[in-house]
């Protein structure tokens, strides 16, 4: 009996050590999400969810899956049997907080302003012209307005802005994101310890080692997760070799 039990344990351990097809569905509030990138950070394999939010990828227990989408927050999962429901991995993403794309103008409920200022100003001019035309006119009485005339106050303001444009203070460029901050925001301590096999006391030194490479500035600027992972794997090998040599 003990021999059979030991054999069963060995078989289960062997199955967990080999990759298998992992089927899953990516959801947000019970709605499927298509076009989500699913990355196995251990094997660097990548796939994308289909129109039903479903995906299939080769992975094994303790592999780290990363889910990337522009509209949703990045998510990492360490595979284990408890995550599956009827043999399917269900992954819930969190929607990113977005700024309002339009502003409603008070007392003008029929007009909404977008980000294209020239186009929106044209709509405002058209609205003003229609409002003036629809207003009752008193025959024989001059009210001081020009029918279908130009808005000279607004035009004067535009000319003043053009005159003062060159004299305004120089705009400061947005500060560049540091490589260490970008790497730590995308790859947590668990990833650095378990996937790259770094000791806790080596993590800070390893990130300094990576930051010294000029390529790290480009990766931090582009903020590409896959490029970051490839770079960390490459520098990890060099870092381990350097530590061995010393």
């Amino acid at each position: 009996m003990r021999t059979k039990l030991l054999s069963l344990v060995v078989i289960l351990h062997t199955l967990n050590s080999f990759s298998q097809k992992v089927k899953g569905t990516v959801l947000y509030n019970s709605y499927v999400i298509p076009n989500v990138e699913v990355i196995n950070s251990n094997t660097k394999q990548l796939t994308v969810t289909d129109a039903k939010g479903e995906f299939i990828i080769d992975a094994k227990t303790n592999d780290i899956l990363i889910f990337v989408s522009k509209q949703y927050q990045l998510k990492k999962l360490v595979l284990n049997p408890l995550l599956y429901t009827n043999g399917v991995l269900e992954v819930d993403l969190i929607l990113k907080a977005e700024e309002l794309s339009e502003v409603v103008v008070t007392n003008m409920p029929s007009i909404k302003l977008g980000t294209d200022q020239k186009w929106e100003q044209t709509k405002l001019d058209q609205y003003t012209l229609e409002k003036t035309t629809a207003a009752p006119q008193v025959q024989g009485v001059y009210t001081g307005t020009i029918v279908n005339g130009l808005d000279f106050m607004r035009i004067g303001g535009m000319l003043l802005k053009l005159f003062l444009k060159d004299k305004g203070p120089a705009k400061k460029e947005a500060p560049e994101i540091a490589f260490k901050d970008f790497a730590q925001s995308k790859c947590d301590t668990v990833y650095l310890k378990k996937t790259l096999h770094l000791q806790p006391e080596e993590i800070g030194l390893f990130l300094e080692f990576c930051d010294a490479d000029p390529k790290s500035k480009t990766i931090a600027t582009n903020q590409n997760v896959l490029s970051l992972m490839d770079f960390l794997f490459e520098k990890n090998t060099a870092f381990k070799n350097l530590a061995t040599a010393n």
Side-chain angles (χ1 to χ4, degrees):
M1 182 66 183
R2 291 183 59 188
T3 303
K4 292 182 178 180
L5 182 60
L6 181 59
S7 300
L8 180 60
V9 172
V10 172
I11 292 173
L12 291 176
H13 177 73
T14 304
L15 289 175
N16 287 333
S17 64
F18 290 97
S19 296
Q20 56 186 346
K21 297 290 184 182
V22 174
K23 296 181 180 180
T25 305
V26 181
L27 306 166
Y28 169 70
N29 283 351
S30 300
Y31 291 97
V32 298
I33 309 175
N35 301 322
V36 177
E37 293 182 355
V38 184
I39 308 165
N40 186 331
S41 66
N42 296 76
T43 64
K44 300 183 184 179
Q45 184 183 1
L46 180 146
T47 187
V48 180
T49 58
D50 59 18
K52 297 181 180 180
E54 298 176 347
F55 68 93
I56 298 177
I57 193 170
D58 291 328
K60 63 181 182 296
T61 300
N62 293 327
D63 275 3
I64 299 176
L65 295 187
I66 301 175
F67 300 84
V68 182
S69 176
K70 291 183 179 180
Q71 291 78 26
Y72 301 88
Q73 295 182 13
L74 182 143
K75 184 165 187 175
K76 300 178 185 178
L77 285 181
V78 180
L79 291 181
N80 68 76
L82 299 178
L83 297 177
Y84 296 88
T85 303
N86 296 327
V88 177
L89 183 66
E90 292 187 355
V91 182
D92 291 316
L93 298 186
I94 300 175
L95 189 66
K96 289 181 179 179
E98 298 288 346
E99 295 182 358
L100 293 176
S101 59
E102 58 184 20
V103 178
V104 181
V105 180
T106 306
N107 297 328
M108 298 175 64
S110 61
I111 297 180
K112 295 181 179 181
L113 297 181
T115 56
D116 190 337
Q117 296 182 0
K118 292 182 179 179
W119 169 249
E120 300 305 334
Q121 185 59 55
T122 302
K123 290 197 295 185
L124 288 174
D125 291 342
Q126 181 66 27
Y127 173 82
T128 303
L129 179 59
E130 291 176 356
K131 184 177 179 181
T132 303
T133 304
Q137 303 293 327
V138 181
Q139 298 295 330
V141 177
Y142 177 64
T143 60
T145 61
I146 302 176
V147 179
N148 297 338
L150 299 175
D151 186 347
F152 289 103
M153 292 295 293
R154 183 174 65 81
I155 294 175
M158 293 172 60
L159 292 175
L160 181 61
K161 289 181 180 179
L162 290 175
F163 179 75
L164 297 176
K165 183 177 180 180
D166 295 336
K167 296 184 179 182
K171 295 183 178 180
K172 296 181 180 180
E173 295 183 357
E176 296 182 356
I177 183 172
F179 172 80
K180 291 178 61 178
D181 295 336
F182 173 61
Q184 290 176 327
S185 67
K186 300 300 179 183
C187 302
D188 55 17
T189 305
V190 175
Y191 174 82
L192 295 173
K193 291 168 60 178
K194 291 189 175 181
T195 303
L196 300 183
H197 305 292
L198 291 169
Q199 298 298 323
E201 63 273 12
E202 294 179 325
I203 293 177
L205 183 61
F206 173 68
L207 293 177
E208 293 286 351
F209 177 72
C210 294
D211 190 56
D213 191 325
K215 187 178 178 181
S216 65
K217 306 300 185 296
T218 303
I219 294 175
T221 301
N222 296 336
Q223 299 188 25
N224 186 291
V225 177
L226 287 178
S227 298
L228 172 65
M229 291 172 57
D230 288 337
F231 180 68
L232 291 178
F233 272 105
E234 176 186 341
K235 299 303 292 185
N236 185 44
T237 302
F239 182 76
K240 294 294 184 181
N241 292 337
L242 181 63
T244 303
N246 292 336

